[in-house]
Amino acid sequence: MFPLVPDLISEELNLIVALLLGIAFGFILEQAGFSSSRRLAGLFYGYDFTVLRVFFTAGVTAMCGVLLLDFFGILDTNFIYINPTYLYPAILGGAIMGLGFVIGGYCPGTSVCAAAIGKIDAMVFVAGGLLGVYLFGEGYPLYHDFYTGSFLGNIRIFDSLGMSQGMFALLLIAMAVGAFYFTSKIEQKVNAEAESFTFNKKHHAIAGGSVLALGVALVFMPNHKERILSEVMKSDYIKNHPVKEMTSDELAFRILDKDPRLQIIDLRDTSEFNRMTLPGAVNIQRDQLFQKEFSNILGQSHKKKVFIANSEVDEREAALLSNEIGYENLYVLCDGVHDFVSAILTLQQPASKPKVCEFQVLFAGTNSKPMEQHPDARYIADTERFRAKASGEILTMIKEAKEKPVKKITLVKKVAGGC
Amino acid sequence: MKTNYMNPYLAGFFLGLVLLATIVITGRGLGASGALKSTVVAAVTSVAPHHAESSSFFSENLKSLHENPLKTWLVFEVIGVIIGGFLSGVVSDRLSLKIEGGPKVKNSFRLLFALIGGALFGIGAQFGRGCTSGAALSGMAVLSTDGIITMMAIFGMGYAVAYFLRKLWI
């Protein structure tokens, strides 16, 4: 459902939203005391840990919110802006900023806020910031390669560390709460008038305990995608959840008919897809079903989405996953691509063979109702005639589709972000 | 240090909610240094358009920002920060023109160091693709590796050099 941008909020309205959120941001920064360079710099000298407290509490709060909303499927984290990681520029940039923080006593956000209440040093800091960006721009060709190098993708920290996101969240919360406790002790030693003397011990202990408990809970809350995956991957799930089936003959008929309400989804990997696929098929692999980029294909509820893969089990898995994600009108191709190839394209199956999805035979046992128990002679003749015609025409369509340039999928725009 | 500032944890909690609201509504995080960049790009483009065109940094950013680099999300957000900070100053009676720095630092030095610190932040935020807000805080909220690395680099370097610069603050 969320985020609302860019689907539901126009660019202009988004700017108004930016202004309002900025007002809240600035108001809270000032109320927290971030408009004072003495206070900010205190972080590095142990006399005032306000920055640490506000910064980490804010980070932990927002992180917990993102994880909870993701768990309940309210916020689509595939869609939000994840800062790209350019490893060495990030380290160098951070180091330069750290130096600038101690020398200047502000960071850009806090300097703007401090300038707003009349701090002249903050106004000068902002001017310095503009100068810095200008200098960076003038020297850009010198370090262009460095700046755009060591790109690792829009990676997430829990993947980098090889742990679950919930486990990382718990670690971060534990680190934050531990840091809050010990820095208060330091502050009280260094500064006889430290703010932490005034804190209500009981309330702070309860708050710290609650957020730690939330952290433990987060360990057991996989993200939306993991949750759906683990649900559908349970051994009996596929057996117990029926999926609409389409036989090779029906699919062939719809292809020949150029059915506008047909959308074939090829789940096989890209190399197989490129070698041969059915006319009009789109290549979406299982894990890509979760990506918002493909939602404009999978989300067309008036179209029959037919999943094709090498095995019907793969198709069913994908159909059930898509169903859990919230897509509808989903079909699987009986017995997979090979059945279509042998029945229609290469005409290696006798039309007299009663058409039953193999999956039903394997799992559904005696309850299965074959579509044609005893095909009569006329039916067999019709089927043979149809297949002979379909074989040639579909092979031609496949060949033509291969020669044409691949239709580009119009991807849904990702949110642009960053500084 | 007697203050009438908000309890920092409470302030952090509210700040976190604002950041969360930002992510939920717009899909992106908060920021600040990006507005500086937009301002510089706009200024260079209007003062020296030929120079801006021939420089890869300014022309690339002009292309990626907008036809008007000041009509961007972060510029509006930072205008909001100014308004919000000012309102808070009014509410808590903290509006006054003054220079604030360490107890042993002359005003002229304080301003010089504020300029140098600002310039370093301007440069660093370009390399880091965001500052304390855009890269470290917002990056941490969405658990990006970049956010955590940038945050550790900022605070790690801060502590590494703090001792040598202690005369500025204590």
Side-chain angles (χ1 to χ4, degrees):
Chain A
M1 185 161 116
F2 288 100
L4 300 177
V5 174
D7 291 346
L8 294 175
I9 291 188
S10 71
E11 215 170 300
E12 270 69 29
L13 181 58
N14 197 14
L15 294 179
I16 306 297
V17 170
L19 185 76
L20 296 175
L21 288 166
I23 291 175
F25 185 29
F27 190 89
I28 295 166
L29 284 179
E30 209 290 321
Q31 283 295 312
F34 276 23
S35 55
S36 158
S37 56
R38 283 256 320 133
R39 218 172 144 85
L40 292 166
L43 170 68
F44 298 109
Y45 297 97
Y47 62 78
D48 189 328
F49 283 101
T50 304
V51 175
L52 178 105
R53 294 183 182 120
V54 178
F55 185 90
F56 275 102
T57 310
V60 165
T61 304
M63 173 194 73
C64 291
V66 168
L67 295 182
L68 286 173
L69 293 176
D70 177 29
F71 175 74
F72 291 110
I74 297 169
L75 176 69
D76 187 349
T77 48
N78 289 312
F79 198 40
I80 62 178
Y81 178 77
I82 306 290
N83 309 53
T85 302
Y86 293 80
L87 185 60
Y88 298 119
I91 295 172
L92 177 73
I96 297 174
M97 287 189 269
L99 187 62
F101 209 152
V102 179
I103 292 178
Y106 290 109
C107 61
T110 52
S111 70
V112 169
C113 172
I117 63 158
K119 295 279 169 68
I120 297 164
D121 47 322
M123 298 173 195
V124 174
F125 185 97
V126 174
L130 296 172
L131 179 67
V133 177
Y134 173 73
L135 291 175
F136 178 89
E138 290 299 325
Y140 187 61
L142 293 176
Y143 32 73
H144 172 268
D145 292 343
F146 173 77
Y147 177 70
T148 51
S150 63
F151 177 54
L152 302 179
N154 298 58
I155 50 176
R156 314 285 298 273
I157 184 70
F158 48 87
D159 288 332
S160 304
L161 297 175
M163 56 174 80
S164 75
Q165 62 173 22
M167 186 54 80
F168 181 82
L170 174 63
L171 274 181
L172 192 72
I173 291 171
M175 270 166 51
V177 173
F180 294 156
Y181 179 78
F182 287 111
T183 52
S184 290
K185 296 279 163 217
I186 296 173
E187 189 183 80
Q188 289 170 4
K189 272 196 182 141
V190 174
N191 184 352
E193 292 171 37
E195 193 187 17
S196 46
F197 282 118
T198 65
F199 291 163
N200 179 325
K201 270 193 181 162
K202 197 172 135 202
H203 291 173
H204 284 70
I206 292 173
S210 315
V211 74
L212 275 173
L214 175 61
V216 173
L218 285 172
V219 174
F220 300 100
M221 294 187 183
N223 67 24
H224 191 55
K225 175 179 165 181
E226 283 167 10
R227 191 163 60 111
I228 291 178
L229 269 174
S230 69
E231 177 74 13
V232 173
M233 292 304 136
K234 278 182 195 152
S235 59
D236 279 350
Y237 191 91
I238 295 184
K239 280 185 223 169
N240 297 333
H241 291 75
V243 177
K244 284 185 266 187
E245 297 152 348
M246 193 179 278
T247 60
S248 295
D249 287 314
E250 185 184 346
L251 183 62
F253 177 79
R254 288 182 185 278
I255 291 174
L256 286 182
D257 198 33
K258 300 219 162 54
D259 184 353
R261 294 192 168 196
L262 175 73
Q263 176 64 62
I264 301 174
I265 314 278
D266 189 340
L267 296 160
R268 300 169 307 156
D269 53 38
T270 319
S271 60
E272 285 178 285
F273 174 79
N274 287 338
R275 212 173 306 136
M276 191 287 288
T277 192
L278 301 186
V282 180
N283 189 211
I284 304 178
Q285 281 141 40
R286 194 193 75 180
D287 284 342
Q288 293 175 322
L289 295 171
F290 292 92
Q291 291 174 13
K292 189 119 180 172
E293 282 95 319
F294 297 105
S295 65
N296 47 1
I297 295 172
L298 294 162
Q300 310 170 91
S301 51
H302 65 286
K303 285 197 181 179
K304 290 184 198 296
K305 270 80 59 184
V306 183
F307 290 99
I308 63 169
N310 289 326
S311 87
E312 195 182 318
V313 175
D314 289 348
E315 295 171 353
R316 284 175 180 266
E317 204 176 89
L320 290 168
L321 280 174
S322 305
N323 182 48
E324 281 290 319
I325 295 169
Y327 298 122
E328 47 194 25
N329 213 353
L330 311 162
Y331 288 78
V332 295
L333 173 63
C334 268
D335 299 347
V337 176
H338 296 305
D339 183 80
F340 190 89
V341 171
S342 67
I344 310 291
L345 299 184
T346 56
L347 301 171
Q348 282 163 343
Q349 274 183 30
S352 56
K353 187 184 153 199
K355 194 63 219 159
V356 188
C357 281
E358 197 178 285
F359 187 86
Q360 286 189 344
V361 178
L362 282 178
F363 294 116
T366 49
N367 293 334
S368 70
K369 279 194 202 124
M371 298 178 66
E372 292 291 334
Q373 282 287 13
H374 303 289
D376 56 26
R378 193 171 153 198
Y379 173 87
I380 294 173
D382 283 349
T383 306
E384 270 173 357
R385 206 174 319 117
F386 167 72
R387 287 185 182 176
K389 175 172 170 271
S391 169
E393 286 186 24
I394 293 180
L395 280 171
T396 314
M397 284 167 89
I398 291 175
K399 213 174 141 202
E400 279 172 4
K402 235 185 168 177
E403 283 157 7
K404 264 191 282 178
V406 183
K407 193 175 69 179
K408 275 261 161 63
I409 298 168
T410 44
L411 296 179
V412 175
K413 195 166 60 172
K414 257 206 165 193
V415 174
C419 282
Chain B
M1 234 197 288
K2 274 249 154 51
T3 61
N4 54 352
Y5 291 121
M6 192 189 284
N7 175 299
Y9 300 114
L10 196 60
F13 178 68
F14 285 136
L15 183 56
L17 291 184
V18 173
L19 177 55
L20 180 61
T22 309
I23 294 169
V24 169
I25 298 171
T26 72
R28 52 162 304 146
L30 294 164
S33 60
L36 296 181
K37 181 161 89 178
S38 296
T39 311
V40 171
V41 171
V44 172
T45 310
S46 67
V47 173
H50 293 297
H51 177 63
E53 231 168 84
S54 61
S55 148
S56 53
F57 178 76
F58 296 113
S59 57
E60 272 173 33
N61 275 298
L62 193 59
K63 237 187 295 164
S64 73
L65 284 171
H66 209 274
E67 70 272 20
N68 177 359
L70 293 181
K71 204 183 154 194
T72 56
W73 201 92
L74 283 170
V75 170
F76 275 70
E77 182 232 74
V78 167
I79 292 170
V81 171
I82 297 172
I83 298 170
F86 181 81
L87 289 177
S88 167
V90 172
V91 170
S92 298
D93 196 20
R94 279 193 284 266
L95 291 185
S96 66
L97 273 179
K98 66 171 178 188
I99 298 171
E100 190 193 40
K104 295 175 196 153
V105 182
K106 279 194 294 187
N107 278 348
S108 53
F109 271 101
R110 169 66 190 125
L111 294 185
L112 177 65
F113 281 106
L115 187 74
I116 296 170
L120 287 170
F121 237 113
I123 295 169
Q126 294 313 304
F127 276 114
R129 293 176 166 78
C131 57
T132 339
S133 330
L137 182 61
S138 303
M140 177 165 116
V142 296
L143 295 176
S144 74
T145 303
D146 174 76
I148 306 282
I149 290 174
T150 310
M151 177 187 72
M152 293 198 307
I154 293 175
F155 291 114
M157 188 65 168
Y159 279 106
V161 298
Y163 177 78
F164 305 102
L165 296 164
R166 63 190 180 283
K167 292 229 162 70
L168 288 176
W169 299 105
I170 50 178

